Amino acid sequence: MRISVDQGETFILLNGIAVNTDIHLAEDITLQPADTSHLDFSSTLSACVRPDDIAVAAAFIPRVTSQLRIHAASTEEISTTAWNSTWDALLLSAIFQTEIGFNLQSNSAACEISSKSTLRAIHRHMSGFNDNEPYTLTTKDVEWMSHHYHEARNLLKEDSFQTAVQSFSAQFWNPNPRIKLAMIWAGIEGIFGASSEVRFKVSLFMARFLFPDNEVERKRVFEMVKRLYNVRSKAVHGGKLKGEVASAATESANLLNCLLIKCIETRTLPREADFVP
């Protein structure tokens, strides 16, 4: 990943998520609407700094739907914040279950990009290169973020939460459902940290954490997690599976999303000691 800053602000161009208003993610970073529909290929080409930026810009400029505006008192602070903004993209991806691409950096807002602007490819992994409709944040989503996003960022200081967020986002980038399951379950298991009797403990801990006061839902989640863990085990160990792998990957992703949201809303990570008498 490469970040370069030479002025008082910079923009990370995003696809896969759209907003209708500015949303302050932190003191020095704002999620904003973005539109690049005015750009033609010639202008895009002229704005690219290096020849190898052209392919990334050509692929993603038409897909840009939002941007992170990053501003601070010094270029050093902006560079650090821009580098760390990768985690904001991953976190938003995990919260709203959408694949977010963050492949381009611009020295001007998306709507102001011209042949005189500077476009750089941040990395060349081409994540987010798909034709899916971007997820547009609703009024309810924006309200939720105003109450909880700060806490979500704070939880990224915890290795287990960080790994879970990265696991959720990374599963978008691999088309193989077996690999998706491995990635997703790495996040789920890491949150709980169980090292023995993993299937039973994760099923029990998940059910109790998500529904501490609802016995019916606890039983349902307990059985569901056991079933999904069985599929996960067969998948990662090369066992024969029919059509259940893809659906199990989707169900497991939904489960990890629920787990992350619960952690954020309760401002805590589940610990094994919390569930063992």
Side-chain angles (χ1 to χ4, degrees), residues 164 183-193 202 206 252 255-256 259:
M183 291 177 172
I184 294 164
W185 277 93
I188 293 174
E189 292 179 48
I191 284 283
F192 290 103
V202 170
M206 178 82 77
S252 297
L255 195 62
L256 178 53
L259 178 58

Side-chain angles (χ1 to χ4, degrees), residues 80-137:
T80 300
T81 302
W83 181 274
N84 291 332
S85 71
T86 294
W87 284 107
D88 287 289
L90 295 175
L91 186 54
L92 290 167
S93 175
I95 290 171
F96 296 110
Q97 301 196 71
T98 180
E99 182 180 3
I100 297 176
F102 44 98
N103 299 286
L104 288 170
Q105 178 192 6
S106 172
N107 69 337
S108 57
C111 63
E112 298 174 356
I113 295 174
S114 69
S115 59
K116 297 180 180 179
S117 300
T118 298
L119 279 176
R120 294 182 175 90
I122 296 175
H123 56 67
R124 294 170 178 79
H125 298 307
M126 305 293 272
S127 58
F129 188 71
N130 60 62
D131 293 324
N132 298 336
E133 287 295 314
Y135 180 82
T136 301
L137 267 61

